[in-house]
Amino acid sequence: MRAGIKQVAELAEVSTATVSHVINSTRFVSTETKEKVYRAMRELDYRPNAIAQSLRSQKSNTIGLIVPILPSDTSNFFFMTVAQGIQMTLKRYGYHMLLSNNVNEELGDEQEQIKLFNTKQIDGLIIASIAEEVGYLNDIVHNQYPVVFIDRKPVGYKGDYVLADGYGGSLEAVRQLLEKGHRRIGFITGTLGISTSNERLEGYREALAQQGVPYDPSLVMIANASFESGYLCAQQLLASGDVTAVFVANNVLTMGVVACLQEKRIRIPDDLAVIGFDDYDWTKITSPPLTVIRQPSFEIGVTAAEVMMKRIEKRSEQQRHKEYRLPTTLIERGSC
Amino acid sequence: MRAGIKQVAELAEVSTATVSHVINSTRFVSTETKEKVYRAMRELDYRPNAIAQSLRSQKSNTIGLIVPILPSDTSNFFFMTVAQGIQMTLKRYGYHMLLSNNVNEELGDEQEQIKLFNTKQIDGLIIASIAEEVGYLNDIVHNQYPVVFIDRKPVGYKGDYVLADGYGGSLEAVRQLLEKGHRRIGFITGTLGISTSNERLEGYREALAQQGVPYDPSLVMIANASFESGYLCAQQLLASGDVTAVFVANNVLTMGVVACLQEKRIRIPDDLAVIGFDDYDWTKITSPPLTVIRQPSFEIGVTAAEVMMKRIEKRSEQQRHKEYRLPTTLIERGSC
DNA sequence: CTGAAAGCGCTTACAG
DNA sequence: CTGAAAGCGCTTACAG
């Protein structure tokens, strides 16, 4: 059996209250008693039972994370990297991460997950909700812990959110294409409705507008987030005729597009210039290597976790909720 | 405030014991009392507090998972996919997953993580240990819960383990290369010492031996698991002269190798035939698409979780620990 | 400077 | 067929 606080108290010849207080530095204890307690703890290799601590203090030192990662191989490097960022920084703060990925991309599952998390007394929730409207959180969270949103801008619930500057990134990508003389520029994006896609589309339109290039809806392809879907969109876009460049606003779709171009022996960038989304190692090994808009995925995770820690520490000071928008970068390689 | 079992009991006009028993179906309760209890639970939207349940029953419904995933973008699709497999099947059994990735690849961290997990009363541990010898687990786990190893074969601790047939995969890959007439075949692997790499090297040697091709140590490059390292190994291998094919026994290294070949304008497979490891979407979009040995990563996760569930259910019957070895597949594309 | 004791929300012998 | 009560391992007012 593992030693408990009682055994430590006995061995140190103090009360359990004292032991607890030296563990948590929650009231003054004389140096000598402290020493006795430390000695006893060491001797018994004592570790406080986190479950008991949680039950008593109503605090679990655990943050719940919900992200939509499909079971496919590819999808979603992005969220996995974000999750790593979160996990690593939580660790630094002594927090744990309870991970749940919403596989079906169904809203009901998402809610169910949160209820399960509640049951585990999470101290905070970080979520990339699949919902366009997250008002339902009001009923589930009951304001009992902070919620930090990632990747998408929440509507219907007040909370901090951290995401990349998709608008700016998209603007920069399309500008780059325009500068190279392209006028018929395709745009392939994931489902509209969520803020991420919307913003990227906006950036595309704005870039065109700034150069006086008319917006042609037939050049905009809406895919669902899969390799195959990217492949098909590329195919359609090519069939439509005179496109000379394409900006793909999502990493999985980018792969599908490249696969299609390669199969059809369309040369990049000569026949078609391409800018992809997200910077991963594999974008360096296509031929030519891909020019992409980099999102700081790891940093998004780090920031989200840090914002969360700040919220938890200063629970009382009801500061306004903030938007944390991290800049994207154009990484120029050979595809445009 | 959330309702507790007490509130439910009051509303249903029964004892908390009865409520508990209907929740857990742990003793007979008459249909009508049951009904009253269900009604009360529904009305209060009651969910048992998992923390309290854990404390009392010494069971957390949580499995700890420790995998070594470096913070780099790329590394390690493999373990992430495994983690997904684990998480999805645990979910089906009503279990949670506590994830911790051992970023530094340091043994001390690994041990520290397990101690933290102990503190959280995990019911089982799934681990891809970085240690060659895991005898230290005896002191930490104290046989209090089952341990399932993944990807690597444990030495020094008895437990089930599930991994891919690296030996067979390697054998198949090198055979393929031999059949195509290659005799000078390079082999690039991660650090030796762990069973994974060792086995793959064995497969390589065995394939050569079967064809009477002498084993030449200078064709074997040992890398650490990074893109750069793969790049450098490829470079060295090329410098050494007359290699006509290479088998890269790790996915991250494969990327580095391809990057190097591309930069040096070495044509695949004409100048150098390549077989990579692990089948991911990006292996389809290199030119040419890569022939690879596929590991069933997701399935490894699923199997590990299922083995764990079985162990937990039948704690009493001390069955022998088993090896679960999943077959690999040669996926032929254009690189060899 | 420190202790005795209540209580977090459950489960589970014990008893009838 | 069901209840009263102890207890899981801690934290935290209350008290001196």
Side-chain angles (χ1 to χ4, degrees):
Chain A
M1 272 333 313
R2 300 192 54 74
I5 200 174
K6 220 167 144 189
Q7 283 70 268
V8 176
E10 270 164 25
L11 185 58
E13 300 178 295
V14 296
S15 71
T16 60
T18 298
V19 176
S20 172
H21 282 121
V22 343
I23 292 171
N24 304 300
S25 321
T26 170
R27 85 175 172 197
F28 185 91
V29 178
S30 75
T31 332
E32 23 182 359
T33 7
K34 246 191 215 158
E35 254 323 307
K36 282 194 297 181
V37 172
Y38 282 134
R39 205 161 23 231
M41 298 204 317
R42 236 176 292 121
E43 189 156 331
L44 298 172
D45 189 26
Y46 170 70
R47 304 253 166 174
N49 179 321
I51 299 283
Q53 290 180 313
S54 296
L55 179 58
R56 181 53 229 249
S57 63
Q58 310 283 39
K59 190 162 178 336
S60 63
N61 278 278
T62 300
I63 302 296
L65 171 65
I66 299 184
V67 286
I69 304 185
L70 300 174
S72 122
D73 273 345
T74 313
S75 104
N76 225 311
F77 302 145
F78 174 70
F79 284 120
M80 291 191 163
T81 312
V82 173
Q84 280 196 57
I86 292 174
Q87 210 251 331
M88 288 182 62
T89 100
L90 288 183
K91 201 175 185 178
R92 282 199 293 109
Y93 285 90
Y95 273 72
H96 287 256
M97 175 178 102
L98 219 42
L99 173 66
S100 181
N101 58 343
N102 187 353
V103 180
N104 306 319
E105 302 231 338
E106 267 177 33
L107 190 53
D109 284 16
E110 191 172 298
Q111 301 185 9
E112 203 45 46
Q113 277 306 324
I114 299 177
K115 287 184 180 168
L116 270 171
F117 280 169
N118 284 342
T119 250
K120 295 240 167 189
Q121 309 270 66
I122 54 168
D123 298 331
L125 174 67
I126 302 183
I127 182 171
S129 176
I130 56 164
E132 295 188 25
E133 214 276 339
V134 291
Y136 78 87
L137 284 174
N138 289 296
D139 299 331
I140 303 187
V141 176
H142 289 302
N143 228 347
Q144 309 214 40
Y145 48 77
V147 178
V148 173
F149 298 86
I150 49 176
D151 190 47
R152 295 159 196 185
K153 197 166 169 172
V155 359
Y157 190 89
K158 68 233 150 338
D160 300 300
Y161 53 100
V162 4
L163 32 48
D165 180 15
Y167 171 80
S170 188
L171 188 68
E172 192 175 5
V174 180
R175 266 189 187 155
Q176 173 83 352
L177 258 12
L178 288 163
E179 261 169 38
K180 302 243 173 178
H182 296 285
R183 286 299 172 269
R184 299 289 291 167
I185 302 174
F187 178 72
I188 302 183
T189 176
T191 334
L192 292 183
I194 53 177
S195 70
T196 337
S197 307
N198 291 350
E199 284 182 5
R200 293 177 197 169
L201 178 56
E202 288 251 320
Y204 169 79
R205 297 189 65 157
E206 175 62 19
L208 293 181
Q210 287 181 0
Q211 290 299 313
V213 176
Y215 171 70
D216 178 353
S218 78
L219 295 182
V220 173
M221 304 272 124
I222 295 163
N224 55 54
S226 72
F227 188 93
E228 290 71 25
S229 189
Y231 185 100
L232 292 174
C233 283
Q235 208 164 30
Q236 271 186 56
L237 201 59
L238 290 170
S240 85
D242 55 352
V243 229
T244 63
V246 59
F247 172 47
V248 192
N250 165 298
N251 62 45
V252 183
L253 295 177
T254 302
M255 279 199 225
V257 169
V258 172
C260 174
L261 299 184
Q262 202 171 288
E263 204 177 299
K264 298 205 184 308
R265 306 221 170 280
I266 289 170
R267 286 166 310 160
I268 306 175
D270 302 340
D271 299 340
L272 191 74
V274 175
I275 296 187
F277 214 86
D278 284 340
D279 183 33
Y280 292 105
D281 281 344
W282 63 262
T283 59
K284 301 178 197 162
I285 60 171
T286 50
S287 34
L290 246 39
T291 294
V292 295
I293 295 296
R294 172 179 190 276
Q295 298 195 78
S297 9
F298 191 80
E299 292 85 342
I300 288 178
V302 172
T303 307
E306 270 166 357
V307 168
M308 175 61 78
M309 293 296 99
K310 220 153 277 164
R311 280 282 166 208
I312 287 179
E313 279 168 14
K314 320 193 179 169
R315 203 79 180 85
S316 43
E317 321 166 21
Q318 283 285 45
Q319 315 177 46
R320 288 195 61 69
H321 294 280
K322 271 184 65 180
E323 164 178 297
Y324 297 82
R325 198 171 277 272
L326 309 189
T328 57
T329 332
L330 174 70
I331 311 267
E332 295 196 57
R333 287 198 272 256
S335 68
C336 96
Chain B
M1 273 336 308
R2 299 191 55 74
I5 199 175
K6 220 167 144 191
Q7 283 70 267
V8 175
E10 269 165 24
L11 186 59
E13 300 178 295
V14 296
S15 72
T16 60
T18 298
V19 176
S20 172
H21 282 120
V22 345
I23 292 170
N24 304 301
S25 322
T26 169
R27 88 174 170 196
F28 185 92
V29 178
S30 74
T31 332
E32 22 183 359
T33 7
K34 246 191 216 159
E35 254 323 307
K36 282 195 297 181
V37 172
Y38 282 134
R39 205 161 23 231
M41 298 205 315
R42 235 176 293 120
E43 190 157 329
L44 298 172
D45 189 26
Y46 171 70
R47 304 254 166 175
N49 179 320
I51 298 283
Q53 290 180 312
S54 297
L55 179 59
R56 181 53 229 248
S57 62
Q58 309 285 39
K59 193 167 174 332
S60 63
N61 278 279
T62 300
I63 302 297
L65 171 65
I66 298 184
V67 287
I69 304 185
L70 299 175
S72 122
D73 273 346
T74 312
S75 103
N76 225 312
F77 303 144
F78 174 70
F79 284 120
M80 291 191 164
T81 312
V82 172
Q84 280 196 56
I86 291 173
Q87 209 251 332
M88 287 183 62
T89 99
L90 287 184
K91 201 175 184 177
R92 281 200 293 109
Y93 285 89
Y95 273 71
H96 287 257
M97 175 177 103
L98 220 41
L99 173 66
S100 181
N101 59 343
N102 187 353
V103 180
N104 307 319
E105 302 232 339
E106 268 178 33
L107 190 52
D109 285 16
E110 191 172 298
Q111 301 186 8
E112 203 46 46
Q113 278 305 324
I114 299 176
K115 288 185 179 167
L116 269 172
F117 280 170
N118 284 342
T119 250
K120 295 238 167 192
Q121 308 269 66
I122 54 168
D123 297 331
L125 174 68
I126 301 182
I127 182 171
S129 176
I130 57 164
E132 296 188 24
E133 214 277 338
V134 291
Y136 77 87
L137 283 173
N138 289 298
D139 298 331
I140 303 188
V141 175
H142 289 301
N143 228 348
Q144 308 214 42
Y145 48 76
V147 179
V148 173
F149 298 87
I150 49 176
D151 189 47
R152 295 159 196 186
K153 196 164 168 173
V155 359
Y157 191 89
K158 67 231 152 338
D160 301 300
Y161 53 100
V162 4
L163 32 48
D165 179 15
Y167 171 80
S170 188
L171 188 69
E172 192 175 5
V174 180
R175 266 189 187 153
Q176 173 84 352
L177 259 10
L178 288 163
E179 261 169 38
K180 303 243 172 176
H182 297 284
R183 285 300 173 269
R184 300 288 292 169
I185 302 174
F187 179 73
I188 302 182
T189 176
T191 334
L192 292 183
I194 54 179
S195 70
T196 338
S197 307
N198 291 348
E199 284 182 5
R200 293 175 195 169
L201 179 56
E202 289 251 320
Y204 168 78
R205 299 190 62 157
E206 175 62 21
L208 294 180
Q210 287 180 0
Q211 292 299 313
V213 176
Y215 170 71
D216 178 352
S218 79
L219 295 182
V220 174
M221 304 271 123
I222 295 162
N224 55 53
S226 72
F227 188 93
E228 290 71 26
S229 190
Y231 186 99
L232 292 174
C233 283
Q235 209 164 31
Q236 269 186 57
L237 201 59
L238 290 170
S240 85
D242 55 351
V243 228
T244 63
V246 60
F247 172 48
V248 192
N250 164 299
N251 62 46
V252 183
L253 295 177
T254 303
M255 279 198 226
V257 169
V258 172
C260 174
L261 299 184
Q262 202 171 290
E263 204 177 300
K264 297 204 184 310
R265 308 221 169 280
I266 288 169
R267 287 166 311 160
I268 307 174
D270 301 341
D271 298 340
L272 191 73
V274 175
I275 297 188
F277 214 86
D278 284 343
D279 183 33
Y280 293 105
D281 281 345
W282 63 261
T283 59
K284 301 179 197 161
I285 61 171
T286 50
S287 36
L290 245 39
T291 295
V292 296
I293 296 295
R294 172 180 190 276
Q295 299 194 77
S297 9
F298 191 80
E299 292 85 343
I300 287 177
V302 171
T303 307
E306 271 165 357
V307 168
M308 176 60 78
M309 292 296 99
K310 221 152 275 162
R311 279 283 166 207
I312 287 178
E313 279 168 13
K314 319 192 180 169
R315 203 78 179 84
S316 43
E317 320 166 21
Q318 283 286 43
Q319 316 177 45
R320 287 195 61 69
H321 294 280
K322 272 184 64 181
E323 163 179 298
Y324 296 82
R325 199 170 276 272
L326 308 189
T328 58
T329 333
L330 174 69
I331 310 268
E332 295 197 57
R333 287 198 272 255
S335 68
C336 97

